[in-house]
Amino acid sequence: MTGATSRTSFEYFVLRCVPRVDREEFANVGVVVYSQGPGFLAAACDVRVDRLRALDPEVDVDAVCAALATIEAVCRGDGSVGPAAAGTRRERFGWLAAPRSTVVQPARSTPASPTTRPGS
């Protein structure tokens, strides 16, 4: 079959910034994607300061960016950020997906197949 593309299952979760846990408001600030087949684990982050400040004018944007940089480093397996980066890609994904009570929190992990479409 000429021009056919390979389809691979993957898992992902959205990264949320929750500046004030007591108000349960959040802004999405990134996504982490893992796929076992090709050995892929990566994070993509985008901090919209105006959105964070709308939730909490005193949010520590530098701390949010530092937390996201650590998540990206764990995805890369950068040992300088600590032992969480030392595991397999699957272990690192699991560690990153674990619930936390910090200002940057993972949403529920979602498995997806090549036929999964957003909103379906």
Side-chain angles (χ1 to χ4, degrees):
M1 190 192 284
T2 308
T5 58
S6 173
R7 295 180 180 251
T8 303
S9 296
F10 61 95
E11 294 178 61
Y12 70 95
F13 60 85
V14 173
L15 294 165
R16 298 175 172 171
C17 177
V18 187
R20 294 201 37 203
V21 178
D22 59 315
R23 290 176 37 179
E24 298 182 5
E25 298 172 329
F26 64 87
N28 293 337
V29 292
V31 64
V32 174
V33 179
Y34 166 72
S35 183
Q36 182 175 350
F40 182 84
L41 176 61
C45 303
D46 183 25
V47 176
R48 306 286 173 99
V49 175
D50 58 326
R51 291 182 183 181
L52 298 183
R53 295 245 189 260
L55 297 175
D56 181 1
E58 297 179 18
V59 64
D60 186 345
V61 176
D62 290 336
V64 171
C65 291
L68 293 171
T70 298
I71 289 168
E72 291 172 330
V74 169
C75 287
R76 289 190 308 271
D78 181 345
S80 70
V81 296
T88 65
R89 285 181 181 89
R90 176 77 212 150
E91 291 168 337
R92 295 192 318 258
F93 180 80
W95 184 86
L96 291 167
R100 317 189 145 60
S101 61
T102 62
V103 72
V104 175
Q105 299 177 2
R108 185 176 55 92
S109 176
T110 305
S113 70
T115 57
T116 300
R117 294 197 179 9
S120 60

